[in-house]
């Protein structure tokens, strides 16, 4: 028991909500509000904007708003549009100043922030066009300096910004104030960080097409706003947010300068806030409810922090690292160590489909049925072998009825010159067997002409998209066959939501879910593997995962008994792995199995070397996968467990 638990003053403090909040947030250097998800948060921010607009209307005043672009504020703008349409919220007294614009940039370009703001907000409300201000990306360079000064003067003439909305980039930039920006900087032309350009690559059809410069409000300009709200969603932003909220002020993370403001608030969803101390290591700031997951997380964290195997952690280690409460409630320390060590050991299995005729009470998968029906869902045509290729091969080798389902065609991720190469091959082949190639030659000539004149991110012709899809399909077939599957167990779903030919996809429809239900009903699996990488909430992985869950839930509601015996396992993609304490099944790979997995990945030749969308990791996919799997095995070994060559990790999802 805590030594002060029976002290009246202590208990009064412990029950004071304000004091509890201060204790929990003592690492945080500015106000942070966390909502369960981005949708709830977006509605709350939109309501605050609407309240400001209405308050100004009541006084006969204008509301001056600083607005941001990008994925983060889209939900806020959608809610403002809804309030305009359904609640009569008027924007006739609103004046807006946008944070930034690429340079050079034509206002009618698909990637311009003029287009973004019109499509997401201005075209749907009654704002007066003369009250809208967005930096001009068409100016001659010699005019930009004076233009930026006039932009600042115009804000001041309007009485200054009442409210500034911000997002945050992975470099820590606000607006386009990249690392190195001064806290008193004004509106100006800036050079974009390489990471910022990589993050924009999809919108421009490749990083080489992203402008290298932008016009942005400065940090000093932002600071003059009477209220500042910075919003951020998803795990992708968690690490930079920890630096911005808890780190020291530095020009290396421009958002840290907001710690100087008395008028700022960070509004986050739970995923974006997940690395803040009060969520990631709560035992450092408050008493915890020590359920098994919290104990597991804390002990593994302590082992990793001290670089000591679990079984060597001592009472002193617990007491000196904020875990005295755990040691008191569940100690002695060695008992806690044994318990967590055993739980981690029981996640390791060489039988991902369950070990036949074995006691499965301490194993992650069921022993029966000995030979399971398995569906591996792959959002893109290579996620299966990149993310769980070793487990895929082992499931086949161990006699399970394995099916793989490629949910999308992946036809936007193939280089144009590969298309020409494959069609040239088709022409030569047709010629070699005496077939007429006139029609094919004409299609090829049209393709080549289109590609030569193609604009960045322009949607391909139907013929080009088809060839790109055929390339990905042939590679997926080769990879699945190498893993040991017969052709009848390889399924190409081409879910409709994806087939737009561009980066922005359609919304999920009943057709996507019905196609998935049909496949599941055909196989009636006892095991389903699906990509559980939710770092990017707008990415294909999370969309595909939600389709699978919806399909399983609908089948259950329809009375399909087999669904009750179907376990859903999540795997992660090429970039990230589950946290060690989250892992529920770890499948060790031998050196030979690592090589077999590598060969399966090599079948995806269009994704080797430099793929169209490599993300912010320059390594090839097979290198990323091997190093990630090796790192997982090393983390297990450092906890005091067996030393394996590599490990693939899985978490079970209860739907």
């Amino acid at each position: 028991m805590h030594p002060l638990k029976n002290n009246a003053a202590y208990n009064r403090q412990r029950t004071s909500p304000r004091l509890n909040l201060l204790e929990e947030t003592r690492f945080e250097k500015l106000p942070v509000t966390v909502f369960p998800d981005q949708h709830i948060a977006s509605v709350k921010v939109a309501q605050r904007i609407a309240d400001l607009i209405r308050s100004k209307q009541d006084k006969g005043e204008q509301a001056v708003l600083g607005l941001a672009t990008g994925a983060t504020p889209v939900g806020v703008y959608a809610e403002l549009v809804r309030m305009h349409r359904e609640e009569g919220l008027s924007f006739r007294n609103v004046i807006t100043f946008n944070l930034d614009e690429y340079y050079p940039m034509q206002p009618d370009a698909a990637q311009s922030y003029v287009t973004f703001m019109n499509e997401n907000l201005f075209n749907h409300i009654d704002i007066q066009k003369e009250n809208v201000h967005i930096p001009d990306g068409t100016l001659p360079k010699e005019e930009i300096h004076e233009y930026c000064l006039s932009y600042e003067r115009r804000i001041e003439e309007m009485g200054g910004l009442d409210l500034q909305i911000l997002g945050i980039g992975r470099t820590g930039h606000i607006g386009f104030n990249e690392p190195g920006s001064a806290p008193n900087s004004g509106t100006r032309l800036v050079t974009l960080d390489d990471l910022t350009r990589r993050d924009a690559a999809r919108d421009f059809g490749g990083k080489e097409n992203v402008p290298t410069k932008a016009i942005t409000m400065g940090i000093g300009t932002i600071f003059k706003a009477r209220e500042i709200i910075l919003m951020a969603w998803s795990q992708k932003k968690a690490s930079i947010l920890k630096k911005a909220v808890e780190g020291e002020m530095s020009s290396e993370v421009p958002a840290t300068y907001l710690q100087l403001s008395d008028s700022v608030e960070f509004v986050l969803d739970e995923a974006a806030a997940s690395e803040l101390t009060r969520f990631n290591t709560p035992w450092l700031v408050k008493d915890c409810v020590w359920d098994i997951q919290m104990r597991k997380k804390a002990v593994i964290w302590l082992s990793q922090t001290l670089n000591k195997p679990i079984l060597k952690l001592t009472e002193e280690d617990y007491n000196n690292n904020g875990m005295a409460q755990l040691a008191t409630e569940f100690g002695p320390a060695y008992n806690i160590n044994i318990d967590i060590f055993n739980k981690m050991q029981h996640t390791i299995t060489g039988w991902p489909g369950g070990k036949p005729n074995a006691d499965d009470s301490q194993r992650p998968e069921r022993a029966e049925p000995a030979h399971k029906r398995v569906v591996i869902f792959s959002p893109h045509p290579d996620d299966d072998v990149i993310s769980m290729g070793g487990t895929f091969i082992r499931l086949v080798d161990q006699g399970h009825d394995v099916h793989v389902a490629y949910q999308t065609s992946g036809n936007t991720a193939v280089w144009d010159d590969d298309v020409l190469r494959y069609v040239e091959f088709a022409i030569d082949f047709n010629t070699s067997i005496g077939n007429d190639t006139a029609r094919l030659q004409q299609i090829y000539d049209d393709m080549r002409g289109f590609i030569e004149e193609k604009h960045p991110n322009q949607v391909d012709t139907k013929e080009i998209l088809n060839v790109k899809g055929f390339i990905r399909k042939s590679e997926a077939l080769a990879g699945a066959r190498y893993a040991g599957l017969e052709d009848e167990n390889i399924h190409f779903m081409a879910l409709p939501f994806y087939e737009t030919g561009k980066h922005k996809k359609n919304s999920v429809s009943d057709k996507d879910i019905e196609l998935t239900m049909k496949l599941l009903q055909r196989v009636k699996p006892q095991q389903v593997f699906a990509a559980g990488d939710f770092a990017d909430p707008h990415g294909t992985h999370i969309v595909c995962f939600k389709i699978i869950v919806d399909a399983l839930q609908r089948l259950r509601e329809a009375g399909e008994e087999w669904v009750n015996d179907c376990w859903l396992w999540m795997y992660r993609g090429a970039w990230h792995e589950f946290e060690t304490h989250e892992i529920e099944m770890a499948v060790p790979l031998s050196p030979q199995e690592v090589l077999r997995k590598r060969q399966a990945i090599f079948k995806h030749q269009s994704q080797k070397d430099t793929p169209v969308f490599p993300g912010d990791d320059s390594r090839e996919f097979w290198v990323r996968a091997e190093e990630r799997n090796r790192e997982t095995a090393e983390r297990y070994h450092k906890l005091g467990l067996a030393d394996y060559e590599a490990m693939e990790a899985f978490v079970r999802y209860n739907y």
Side-chain angles (χ1 to χ4, degrees):
M1 179 178 288
H2 193 286
L4 294 178
K5 279 291 174 70
N6 293 321
N7 181 283
Y10 172 84
N11 287 328
R12 282 197 300 273
Q13 290 183 355
R14 296 297 301 166
T15 56
S16 166
R18 179 61 186 159
L19 287 169
N20 284 342
L21 178 63
L22 288 172
E23 182 183 348
E24 287 185 33
T25 61
R26 63 185 172 88
F27 285 85
E28 297 167 20
K29 299 177 180 179
L30 41 71
V32 178
T33 303
V34 181
F35 292 95
D37 59 58
Q38 63 173 293
H39 307 293
I40 296 172
S42 296
V43 168
K44 294 293 186 183
V45 172
Q47 287 171 348
R48 288 172 62 175
I49 296 172
D51 289 344
L52 171 64
I53 293 171
R54 290 180 177 127
S55 172
K56 290 284 188 174
Q57 286 170 347
D58 291 342
K59 300 173 186 175
E61 299 174 355
Q62 294 174 318
V64 185
L65 304 178
L67 300 181
T69 52
T72 301
V74 167
V76 174
Y77 297 152
E79 177 63 12
L80 289 172
V81 171
R82 186 201 66 78
M83 286 192 278
H84 170 69
R85 289 176 174 170
E86 299 179 12
E87 300 176 9
L89 176 65
S90 176
F91 291 79
R92 294 193 67 80
N93 73 315
V94 175
I95 298 173
T96 67
F97 290 87
N98 263 74
L99 274 168
D100 43 32
E101 176 60 284
Y102 290 108
Y103 182 85
M105 179 59 62
Q106 293 298 317
D108 58 352
Q111 299 87 359
S112 82
Y113 289 160
V114 173
T115 298
F116 176 93
M117 293 304 304
N118 287 336
E119 290 181 350
N120 287 283
L121 184 62
F122 296 148
N123 286 348
H124 313 289
I125 58 177
D126 63 343
I127 194 167
Q128 299 179 70
K129 296 303 180 185
E130 61 269 23
N131 287 344
V132 170
H133 304 85
I134 300 175
D136 187 349
T138 68
L139 294 169
K141 220 167 196 178
E142 61 270 16
E143 296 180 16
I144 292 177
H145 178 70
E146 181 55 38
Y147 173 81
C148 290
L149 292 176
S150 69
Y151 202 77
E152 297 266 346
R153 285 195 298 268
R154 185 62 176 156
I155 294 173
E156 292 174 4
E157 289 167 2
M158 294 299 102
L161 299 171
D162 291 306
L163 173 62
Q164 175 67 61
I165 296 296
L166 298 173
I168 184 171
R170 289 196 294 154
T171 63
H173 69 239
I174 48 177
F176 275 133
N177 292 284
E178 298 283 17
S181 297
N184 61 347
S185 55
T187 302
R188 67 205 189 281
L189 184 69
V190 298
T191 299
L192 298 179
D193 187 271
D194 188 67
L195 176 56
T196 300
R197 295 181 65 231
R198 290 202 301 267
D199 282 348
R202 278 185 177 268
D203 292 332
F204 285 85
K207 191 189 81 169
E208 66 277 5
N209 300 317
V210 180
T212 59
K213 296 187 181 297
I215 299 172
T216 184
M217 281 189 201
I219 298 173
T221 314
I222 293 167
F223 256 80
K224 294 176 185 177
R226 284 179 277 280
E227 186 178 2
I228 302 169
I229 298 176
L230 184 148
M231 304 178 296
W233 327 130
S234 88
Q235 180 73 34
K236 190 175 181 180
K237 299 291 179 70
S239 61
I240 195 64
L241 281 163
K242 181 177 176 64
K243 293 179 181 178
V245 173
E246 299 184 357
E248 297 298 322
M249 276 188 294
S250 166
S251 63
E252 293 303 305
V253 183
T256 56
Y257 288 130
L258 294 174
Q259 295 172 13
L260 293 169
S261 174
D262 294 327
S263 306
V264 68
E265 179 182 358
F266 279 37
V267 175
L268 315 178
D269 67 359
E270 289 182 352
S274 61
E275 291 193 21
L276 297 180
T277 300
R278 59 170 152 146
F279 297 108
N280 192 36
T281 51
W283 49 87
L284 297 178
V285 293
K286 62 178 180 179
D287 286 350
C288 297
V289 177
W290 289 105
D291 59 23
I292 181 53
Q293 277 304 108
M294 186 67 77
R295 298 200 302 273
K296 189 176 177 184
K297 181 178 183 179
V299 172
I300 291 171
W301 171 84
L302 185 61
S303 173
Q304 293 172 334
T305 300
L306 300 180
N307 197 26
K308 294 174 67 172
I310 290 175
L311 294 180
K312 290 187 177 181
L313 296 174
T314 66
E315 207 85 21
E316 185 178 13
D317 293 331
Y318 281 76
N319 292 337
N320 291 344
N321 290 277
M323 292 165 57
Q325 181 202 3
L326 173 58
T328 299
E329 293 185 16
F330 289 89
Y334 192 70
N335 289 359
I336 303 172
N337 298 345
I338 286 288
D339 179 50
I340 302 304
F341 179 87
N342 287 339
K343 284 180 168 55
M344 290 304 300
Q345 191 170 48
H346 294 154
T347 65
I348 303 172
T349 180
W351 298 83
K355 187 173 184 179
N357 305 313
D359 177 11
D360 59 10
S361 60
Q362 301 293 339
R363 294 178 178 274
E365 249 296 354
R366 304 148 291 174
E368 300 298 332
H371 298 288
K372 293 180 174 64
R373 295 183 300 275
V374 181
V375 175
I376 299 171
F377 281 101
S378 184
H380 301 100
D382 55 356
D383 286 318
D384 54 339
V385 291
I386 289 173
S387 301
M388 56 169 292
T391 301
F392 184 169
I393 292 169
R394 186 169 289 192
L395 285 165
V396 175
D397 288 350
Q398 292 177 346
H400 299 285
D401 180 18
V402 180
H403 296 248
V404 64
Y406 299 104
Q407 293 171 278
T408 72
S409 65
N411 61 7
T412 60
V414 177
W415 294 108
D416 291 338
D417 55 1
D418 279 343
V419 172
L420 299 179
R421 183 163 59 90
Y422 274 81
V423 178
E424 288 161 359
F425 172 87
I427 292 171
D428 288 344
F429 179 75
N430 268 298
T431 302
S432 73
I433 59 176
N435 284 352
D436 181 19
T437 63
R439 172 65 178 145
L440 191 55
Q441 184 67 49
Q442 181 59 55
I443 292 172
Y444 170 81
D445 291 342
D446 291 344
M447 286 179 171
R448 189 162 184 173
F450 174 86
I451 289 170
E452 288 174 355
E453 300 295 326
K454 185 177 175 182
H455 300 298
N457 236 25
Q458 183 176 353
V459 177
D460 287 321
T461 64
K462 181 180 178 181
E463 291 79 10
I464 291 174
L465 282 173
N466 282 341
V467 173
K468 289 183 177 181
F470 299 153
I471 292 171
R472 299 300 303 271
K473 181 179 180 179
S474 65
E475 293 171 347
L477 275 168
R481 287 169 179 163
Y482 181 83
L485 289 196
E486 300 295 332
D487 287 3
E488 58 266 25
N489 283 26
I490 305 171
H491 311 277
F492 294 91
M493 303 182 73
L495 293 178
F497 86 89
Y498 184 91
E499 300 302 316
T500 65
K502 50 189 177 182
H503 170 52
K504 188 174 182 179
K505 306 304 180 185
N506 293 326
S507 298
V508 171
S509 68
D510 282 342
K511 184 66 174 175
D512 299 296
I513 299 170
E514 288 163 3
L515 287 169
T516 306
M517 292 172 65
K518 184 177 180 180
L519 175 63
L520 287 166
Q521 179 66 1
R522 172 181 166 185
V523 179
K524 294 183 173 62
Q526 285 98 10
Q527 269 190 326
V528 167
F529 290 87
D533 190 347
F534 307 148
D536 180 2
H538 305 284
T540 302
H541 281 205
I542 192 168
V543 174
C544 287
F545 183 82
K546 288 178 177 177
I547 289 171
I548 296 166
V549 172
D550 283 349
L552 286 167
Q553 289 174 338
R554 290 192 189 185
L555 287 165
R556 175 182 283 159
E557 290 165 2
E560 295 291 336
E561 290 294 330
W562 62 266
V563 178
N564 296 322
D565 194 40
C566 178
W567 287 16
L568 174 56
W569 289 100
M570 299 187 297
Y571 61 80
R572 281 276 169 91
W575 294 273
H576 304 288
E577 186 56 275
F578 295 108
E579 295 295 328
T580 309
H581 69 272
E582 297 175 316
I583 297 172
E584 296 179 74
M585 179 162 68
V587 180
L589 306 180
S590 69
Q592 292 75 24
E593 287 170 319
V594 170
L595 290 176
R596 289 179 70 187
K597 174 175 177 172
R598 183 190 300 177
Q599 291 300 320
I601 297 173
F602 281 177
K603 303 300 180 184
H604 295 268
Q605 295 178 0
S606 69
Q607 305 305 299
K608 269 191 57 52
D609 301 322
T610 304
V612 176
F613 299 119
D616 57 3
D617 191 330
S618 61
R619 296 173 299 171
E620 288 192 45
F621 283 125
W622 70 271
V623 178
R624 302 183 200 183
E626 285 189 16
E627 292 186 0
R628 185 197 64 175
N629 294 157
R630 190 167 291 114
E631 287 165 3
T632 302
E634 287 173 356
R635 289 204 304 270
Y636 265 69
H637 180 51
K638 287 179 179 178
L639 295 178
L641 295 152
D643 187 8
Y644 291 101
E645 178 71 12
M647 278 181 165
E648 292 177 339
F650 304 87
V651 171
R652 188 179 168 197
Y653 185 87
N654 295 312
Y655 55 92

